[in-house]
Amino acid sequence: MTTVPLVDWEQLIIAYLCGPIDSLPHKKGDEEFAVRQISAALGRTVSKGEIEAVNSTLDRLFSASGWLPLPSADEGPKCDRPTGLFQPEHTLSGHELEVKSKFICEVISRTVEGLETSKQRFFALWRILPSTLVGGSGDRVSHLPADARMPDHSNVEGADSASGLLAGTCQGMYGYAYLSVALKMQQPFTETASSVQDLWAGNAIMSWLAFKAMEPVIDRFGPASILFPSLRENPYMDIWLHKRMNLKAIPTVNDQLVRMPSLPNRFLALVPCRPDRLIASELAALSDHAAREAWTLLAANVRHQIGRDLSGLYKDWDRSWRNQIENVLDVTSTVILERELDDDVIARHVGSRCFGNAWLAAAEVRSLATSNPPDHRSYNAQASAGRWRAHMEILERVVDANCAVRHIPRTVGGNSNGSSPKCSQCGSFEQMGPAEASASNAFWSAASSKLSVNGTRLLDGEHLCAIALTRRFAGPAFLASEFGVEARDLRMPDTATIAAADWLQKSGMDPSELEREYGHWKSSRLHRSQRHKVVPPPGLRNKVEAAIREYGQPPTHFAVLKMNGDDTGDWLCGRKAPGPDDVVHPAIENHGGQDYSNGLLRASRPAGPCQFNAVTAILGQFTALSAPQIIQHYNGAVIFSRGDEILALLPALRAVNCVNELHESFKTGGRRYGGKGKGATISAGISYVHYKDDLRRAIYTACEAQKWAKDMGKDLVCVSFNQSSGPPASAPLPWSHLDWFANLTSYFTEGTDLGRSKSRI
């Protein structure tokens, strides 16, 4: 029997709307406006007392999490009721912002129309309202700062923090706990992939499993309880809202975005807890069970699909399937209670005698609470600045330590001698089929010609285990129906097709259409040296030869792009957060006394849950939406785009322009949080390779190039050339030099040796 409490969804709606989404009108005198919009959301009349009770709890929670000690405002927004205009004033500048209160209430009413339960209404408001309030009169609402005195996060991020904190303390629980869950496969699951399809499938499975692990938390406490990663507008989240919450008003998920692995294999959530940790531990167990159940279900569907063809070849082909599947997935959960991490405990964790010695900057900020003039001080205690950052740093250490403990999967032998043929991809596991070598060779030879699931096949010479088979056939056997797309939409192009993507587009040849017309697409049919090995149908051969006569030989080189945010952990923990002088409103300097003003400008900004959400929202917007669209525009293939990292394959001539646009997109969001100073940065590695090169080596080279860019000072791009012999040739470049370098990529043309091109460059 579960002991996890049920959240009050009406209270979460009040928390979401009672302040941040309309710049805290009720706090400054316009309680009636808050009553109108929350009543519209709940479908009943809400009292001022209900709002005040929720707001009082939120003030206490935000204050305890480490608010920056700021002077209170003397004046607040005014509402001109006869004209129906809500006129909030910037707390310090006094600049009036004209917003139609009727417009906001109408948007809220439309958002929840036809939804029967408060739970559905909360999910709809969380997902739809922020994007609906952008444009027209709404852009003045969703883009307002949640705190005008320190405008480093928006109303939406403040609303997410409010509902997340309130859900973590539902029904008078002891407090909230930090729940971190990390998933990994004990056998390298993505590193062993030798084809683009397997590489994508491994990452897609891990992203999907990560979301399944989040589901118990999302379903019980709402998506705002997930601190990292950001889930708003994420394709997996939108699919869940369509299926589970039956929210038809949410835009249909783009088929191209659905197939992009957009979630990292770990998440961090705020959940309720008791002193005995029972509730938080039970949620951790539920997440563990959900991930394992999903993995088992996926593997069972693959086993059923391919068993139709393989059972006729060898009856006991799957003799060790269950053992391999059940032992490969490792789920590591970490639970830390917020109330157990007071200042003294935090100091002991880092080997210091007191909090001030460990976090000197935070101690300096706390002193501002007393230097602020008494008549300007907040009614809440403001002596907790820096505590959220300290919690994040402690959590980071504990999670890393827990994840360093590896689970060793149990393996079993296959024949009477205790030895068995190994998988050609995952060498720690035995292959399926007969255990004897000669019988195994015959089995897999027959399987490569017979086994096909919606066009996905085995390659000659492959002898695969249960894990590798599940990865290969996960898309057509299960994920396609799970994502609501056609199996062919989850098929990735091979390296030769990616290298020639622009050439194919220019010649009017779409590989997916050619496959429907002429059967299984083989990109080797494009190149003269390979056509004698695989003879194309006459119609296809004529199209290829006509395109070659008009546009020349198709390109043979492609680029592997690896991007990773610089110091993302420091941004999330608050170590890289902008200082108050970067983000504070100019009028704050004259709002308090001289001691306060001077101390404020010297202080380091103590990040809290709102700033944490601001960073994760930027990362989520970039990796789940902006980056995949940019890469697709340049005819690239996204392997994954999640958290703060991207892996993609691109035509060689387009890689530089693509990475430049990605950098500009990331920089725009990063500077939004970084204030007037330097914002978040990103480093990249580009590896140019021939389509016949080993894909694993190509990806390794790109990853090493990206690491070199970080080692050379970060905020750089490192370009690497894989040569036919010898190590790769690499060089770091500042982002400002990419336009110059783009001219050099013209060397990658048909008939040009990569090694000679590199020497000429």
Side-chain angles (χ1 to χ4, degrees):
M1 180 178 178
T2 180
T3 60
V4 177
L6 298 177
V7 71
D8 187 331
W9 295 102
E10 286 198 352
Q11 284 199 353
L12 288 195
I13 291 175
I14 295 174
Y16 194 79
L17 295 176
C18 73
I21 206 68
D22 59 1
S23 196
L24 305 178
H26 72 284
K27 280 190 174 181
K28 310 301 181 186
D30 193 7
E31 295 88 351
E32 293 184 10
F33 182 81
V35 168
R36 287 198 300 273
Q37 67 170 13
I38 295 174
S39 297
L42 295 179
R44 66 172 179 83
T45 301
V46 66
S47 68
K48 294 181 182 179
E50 291 179 88
I51 297 176
E52 290 172 356
V54 171
N55 188 56
S56 176
T57 302
L58 291 177
D59 283 345
R60 175 178 57 80
L61 291 171
F62 276 115
S63 180
S65 68
W67 261 344
L68 182 71
L70 291 173
S72 60
D74 296 325
E75 299 290 336
K78 301 176 178 62
C79 183
D80 188 352
R81 291 178 181 82
T83 60
L85 296 178
F86 171 61
Q87 294 178 317
E89 292 179 359
H90 192 290
T91 309
L92 297 168
S93 69
H95 176 67
E96 288 190 354
L97 301 171
E98 187 176 285
V99 179
K100 293 183 178 180
S101 58
K102 183 179 179 181
F103 166 78
I104 299 177
C105 291
E106 288 177 351
V107 169
I108 292 174
S109 297
R110 288 198 303 269
T111 301
V112 301
E113 185 178 4
L115 301 180
E116 298 179 356
T117 67
S118 298
K119 184 176 181 178
Q120 286 179 303
R121 289 169 178 252
F122 175 80
F123 277 95
L125 290 167
W126 172 85
R127 173 60 180 87
I128 300 172
L129 193 58
S131 57
T132 307
L133 289 178
V134 174
S137 299
D139 59 3
R140 301 180 184 271
V141 179
S142 58
H143 291 164
L144 284 173
D147 188 336
R149 299 162 298 175
M150 185 67 68
D152 58 357
H153 61 280
S154 72
N155 285 324
V156 174
E157 291 142 9
D160 287 344
S161 300
S163 56
L165 285 171
L166 191 66
T169 55
C170 65
Q171 294 190 2
M173 286 292 106
Y174 174 72
Y176 59 82
Y178 303 104
L179 170 62
S180 174
V181 178
L183 289 76
K184 59 183 176 182
M185 295 290 184
Q186 293 309 313
Q187 174 70 29
F189 194 56
T190 57
E191 295 88 340
T192 57
S194 58
S195 67
V196 179
Q197 184 67 38
D198 285 353
L199 184 63
W200 167 85
N203 286 283
I205 291 170
M206 293 306 297
S207 281
W208 178 73
L209 291 178
F211 183 78
K212 301 304 286 188
M214 297 180 203
E215 278 190 5
V217 178
I218 296 171
D219 189 45
R220 288 165 174 80
F221 305 108
S225 293
I226 304 294
L227 296 176
F228 176 82
S230 174
L231 293 177
R232 185 175 284 109
E233 297 187 82
N234 184 278
Y236 295 102
M237 187 70 213
D238 282 357
I239 291 174
W240 187 87
L241 291 172
H242 273 284
K243 290 183 176 180
R244 188 67 174 267
M245 290 291 104
N246 196 30
L247 299 182
K248 305 301 182 184
I250 295 177
T252 304
V253 183
N254 183 291
D255 289 351
Q256 293 299 316
L257 291 178
V258 165
R259 76 176 189 178
M260 308 299 176
S262 55
L263 291 176
N265 63 342
R266 63 173 59 195
F267 70 88
L268 173 63
L270 282 183
V271 298
C273 70
R274 297 191 329 196
D276 59 5
R277 296 173 176 258
L278 182 60
I279 295 174
S281 298
E282 184 174 340
L283 280 168
L286 289 172
S287 293
D288 183 299
H289 175 74
R292 295 184 188 278
E293 186 178 46
W295 167 245
T296 303
L297 177 63
L298 187 156
N301 275 268
V302 171
R303 184 183 190 180
H304 174 72
Q305 289 275 5
I306 65 178
R308 298 172 181 176
D309 292 330
L310 298 184
S311 296
L313 301 178
Y314 183 72
K315 182 179 179 180
D316 197 24
W317 69 274
D318 55 352
R319 67 190 185 285
S320 56
W321 182 283
R322 181 176 177 180
N323 174 70
Q324 292 183 6
I325 294 299
E326 289 181 351
N327 285 279
V328 73
L329 179 63
D330 185 24
V331 183
T332 303
S333 301
T334 304
V335 174
I336 294 182
L337 275 60
E338 179 266 341
R339 287 200 179 185
E340 291 183 354
L341 291 179
D342 59 23
D343 289 351
D344 292 336
V345 173
I346 291 172
R348 289 199 299 270
H349 271 297
V350 296
S352 184
R353 290 190 299 175
C354 66
F355 183 89
N357 289 345
W359 283 276
L360 180 60
E364 292 177 350
V365 171
R366 292 182 179 187
S367 67
L368 296 176
T370 55
S371 62
N372 193 22
D375 57 334
H376 290 163
R377 295 176 188 173
S378 171
Y379 58 87
N380 278 308
Q382 294 185 326
S384 301
R387 187 171 293 170
W388 177 274
R389 169 181 168 179
H391 287 178
M392 292 298 104
E393 292 192 24
I394 297 297
L395 180 66
E396 182 182 34
R397 298 184 185 193
V398 176
V399 169
D400 288 345
N402 286 344
C403 291
V405 179
R406 292 181 61 88
H407 162 71
I408 306 301
R410 181 170 61 93
T411 58
V412 295
N415 59 21
S416 57
N417 297 325
S419 61
S420 58
K422 298 298 182 182
C423 174
S424 56
Q425 292 189 2
C426 304
S428 297
F429 291 93
E430 66 179 56
Q431 59 189 243
M432 295 292 102
E436 300 299 332
S438 57
S440 176
N441 291 334
F443 170 81
W444 286 106
S445 177
S448 64
S449 60
K450 183 177 182 181
L451 179 58
S452 175
V453 180
N454 291 319
T456 301
R457 297 172 170 82
L458 292 172
L459 301 179
D460 292 339
E462 287 186 322
H463 298 194
L464 304 182
C465 62
I467 292 91
L469 284 169
T470 299
R471 179 178 60 190
R472 173 67 56 82
F473 295 97
F478 183 78
L479 292 181
S481 60
E482 184 74 8
F483 295 161
V485 298
E486 297 292 332
R488 62 174 178 269
D489 294 330
L490 299 183
R491 200 171 304 154
M492 299 294 288
D494 58 17
T495 54
T497 303
I498 294 170
D502 291 337
W503 185 90
L504 288 166
Q505 185 181 59
K506 186 166 52 177
S507 61
M509 290 191 291
D510 183 349
S512 59
E513 296 297 330
L514 294 176
E515 181 169 2
R516 294 189 188 98
E517 186 174 356
Y518 298 106
H520 185 53
W521 167 257
K522 292 184 180 294
S523 59
S524 56
R525 294 166 173 170
L526 294 174
H527 302 288
R528 184 187 302 115
S529 61
Q530 299 294 315
R531 273 179 229 139
H532 70 282
K533 298 179 181 178
V534 182
V535 180
L540 178 58
R541 183 174 65 247
N542 294 337
K543 287 185 178 182
V544 172
E545 291 177 351
I548 291 174
R549 286 193 298 270
E550 184 171 357
Y551 301 106
Q553 292 292 332
T556 57
H557 290 84
F558 70 99
V560 181
L561 169 64
K562 179 68 166 63
M563 299 186 78
N564 187 265
D566 297 328
D567 303 316
T568 302
D570 289 343
W571 283 98
L572 290 171
C573 288
R575 290 188 290 265
K576 300 281 287 186
D581 58 328
D582 281 334
V583 294
V584 74
H585 190 275
I588 198 75
E589 297 181 38
N590 302 320
H591 200 82
Q594 189 65 32
D595 291 341
Y596 177 85
S597 299
N598 292 338
L600 180 70
L601 297 181
R602 291 194 308 267
S604 174
R605 173 69 164 104
C610 294
Q611 290 72 34
F612 190 98
N613 278 328
V615 176
T616 58
I618 291 168
L619 294 176
Q621 182 75 20
F622 174 68
T623 55
L625 297 176
S626 302
Q629 293 172 354
I630 292 172
I631 294 170
Q632 288 174 2
H633 174 73
Y634 287 95
N635 289 332
V638 180
I639 303 302
F640 61 75
S641 182
R642 64 196 181 201
D644 67 333
E645 59 180 350
I646 297 170
L647 179 64
L649 311 181
L650 293 148
L653 290 174
R654 307 265 273 175
V656 173
N657 292 331
C658 179
V659 73
N660 208 9
E661 188 170 336
L662 287 169
H663 173 250
E664 289 299 318
S665 175
F666 181 86
K667 187 172 65 174
T668 301
R671 193 163 299 281
R672 167 178 166 255
Y673 180 69
K676 293 177 288 186
K678 184 178 181 181
T681 60
I682 193 168
S683 298
I686 304 176
S687 174
Y688 289 96
V689 294
H690 193 277
Y691 81 91
K692 294 173 69 176
D693 285 356
D694 189 298
L695 180 61
R696 290 165 290 193
R697 177 173 178 260
I699 292 173
Y700 174 80
T701 304
C703 291
E704 288 299 303
Q706 178 246 302
K707 291 178 183 177
W708 192 23
K710 288 183 176 290
D711 293 341
M712 293 295 290
K714 302 176 183 178
D715 197 20
L716 298 170
V717 57
C718 183
V719 181
S720 180
F721 301 85
N722 271 16
Q723 305 177 89
S724 55
S725 61
S730 304
L733 292 171
W735 288 103
S736 58
H737 287 189
L738 277 188
D739 291 337
W740 162 82
F741 182 77
N743 297 326
L744 302 183
T745 57
S746 59
Y747 283 96
F748 296 98
T749 57
E750 173 64 17
T752 302
D753 180 76
L754 187 58
R756 292 199 305 271
S757 296
K758 182 268 303 178
S759 300
R760 292 167 60 191
I761 290 174

